[in-house]
């Protein structure tokens, strides 16, 4: 078969990142998350911090002074979310054509929607479980974690909805949506692995 591409969208605190890494190990795929930023920066000549500032947060990038003006920009004379999304999309598209990969977020399910080797996943979890997980990460109370989730998921949804004209987390946008609270993170990864193997008739997949 051609290369396998797995895109993973997730709610904060759902274990999506950890599950995605389990799938990457299972199928000998390269795992991409923040690495996309470095590749996009290398491609464009922009400082990676510009991509980080715009990462999953739609809005025109404000001027950052003379430093930015000195940067090489083959795409446009201005730096906007649209320019940065275009650059990241080109990076993701190239990865999808050449590698076995698992890509976290960044609208990869939409960017690679016409690639027949794409399997797109969205991972949810019960609110209580997500709040507990985020509280543990932040070393905070549950209400602080809940506010963190609300704020950052609104930003993530705004970014996705703007660039795809679809609704972030809506089941029709993905091959499968799954609640990790039901089977736990490892159980969810095992179930997804079996579904992917069934879909692509895989026994093994070499890197």
């Amino acid at each position: 078969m051609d290369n396998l591409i797995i895109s993973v969208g997730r709610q904060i605190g759902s274990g999506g990142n950890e599950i995605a890494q389990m799938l990457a190990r299972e199928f000998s795929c390269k795992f991409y998350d923040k690495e996309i930023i470095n590749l996009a920066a290398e491609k464009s000549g922009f400082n990676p911090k510009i991509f980080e500032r715009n990462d999953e947060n739609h809005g025109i990038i404000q001027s950052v002074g003379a430093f930015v003006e000195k940067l090489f920009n083959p795409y446009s004379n201005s730096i906007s979310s649209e320019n940065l999304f275009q650059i990241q999309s080109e990076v993701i598209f190239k990865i999808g054509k050449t590698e076995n990969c698992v890509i976290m977020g960044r609208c990869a399910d939409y960017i690679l929607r016409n690639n027949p080797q794409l399997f797109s996943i969205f991972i949810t979890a019960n609110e209580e479980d997500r709040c507990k997980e985020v509280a543990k990460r932040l070393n905070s109370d549950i209400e602080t974690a809940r506010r963190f989730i609300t704020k950052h998921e609104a930003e993530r949804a705004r970014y996705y909805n703007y660039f795809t004209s679809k609704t972030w987390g809506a089941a029709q946008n993905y091959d499968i949506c799954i609640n990790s609270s039901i089977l736990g993170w490892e159980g969810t990864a095992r179930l997804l692995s079996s579904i992917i193997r069934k879909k692509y008739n895989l026994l093994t997949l070499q890197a």
Side-chain angles (χ1 to χ4, degrees):
M1 64 170 285
D2 295 329
N3 54 298
L4 173 66
I5 311 160
I6 303 171
S7 71
V8 181
R10 77 287 190 198
Q11 288 187 302
I12 295 171
S14 66
N17 190 283
E18 292 80 3
I19 292 167
Q21 292 188 58
M22 292 177 199
L23 291 174
R25 290 192 293 270
E26 174 73 15
F27 292 107
S28 300
C29 291
K30 188 164 183 180
F31 178 78
Y32 286 97
D33 188 5
K34 299 295 185 183
E35 295 82 359
I36 298 291
I37 289 176
N38 293 329
L39 291 171
E42 180 180 335
K43 176 180 177 64
S44 65
F46 289 148
N47 189 299
K49 291 187 181 299
I50 295 174
F51 288 93
E52 291 173 4
R53 194 170 302 158
N54 188 60
D55 189 23
E56 295 190 343
N57 183 19
H58 170 64
I60 300 303
I61 298 299
Q62 301 299 316
S63 172
V64 290
F67 170 72
V68 170
E69 294 176 4
K70 295 178 181 178
L71 293 173
F72 173 65
N73 177 7
Y75 297 91
S76 173
N77 292 326
S78 62
I79 300 174
S80 69
S81 289
E82 287 75 12
N83 300 143
L84 299 180
F85 181 78
Q86 176 189 347
I87 297 165
Q88 287 197 133
S89 295
E90 291 171 4
V91 168
I92 290 169
F93 193 80
K94 181 178 180 180
I95 290 170
K97 287 182 65 176
T98 58
E99 300 181 30
N100 299 325
C101 57
V102 175
I103 304 176
M104 292 299 303
R106 293 179 176 79
C107 305
D109 58 284
Y110 177 79
I111 294 165
L112 299 173
R113 64 193 182 281
N114 293 324
N115 190 317
Q117 298 308 125
L118 173 68
F119 187 80
S120 59
I121 300 166
F122 190 85
I123 299 173
T124 70
N126 296 343
E127 182 178 355
E128 179 181 359
D129 292 337
R130 295 194 295 121
C131 287
K132 286 180 180 178
E133 175 61 26
V134 172
K136 183 171 66 175
R137 293 181 193 175
L138 299 179
N139 192 25
S140 71
D141 58 53
I142 292 296
E143 286 309 310
T144 298
R146 197 186 311 277
R147 289 193 297 271
F148 178 93
I149 290 171
T150 298
K151 177 180 183 294
H152 289 280
E153 286 194 346
E155 293 171 352
R156 187 173 291 177
R158 184 167 64 247
Y159 181 94
Y160 183 94
N161 297 350
Y162 179 84
F163 285 112
T164 69
S165 298
K166 296 180 180 294
T167 301
W168 178 74
Q172 64 267 26
N173 298 333
Y174 310 92
D175 290 315
I176 190 167
C177 295
I178 190 165
N179 185 331
S180 64
S181 292
I182 298 173
L183 297 176
W185 295 358
E186 291 186 1
T188 299
R190 286 195 297 269
L191 178 59
L192 288 170
S193 174
S194 67
I195 293 170
I196 292 168
R197 289 186 184 282
K198 180 73 172 179
K199 175 178 171 60
Y200 295 104
N201 194 28
L202 296 175
L203 295 177
T204 60
L205 180 65
Q206 300 297 321

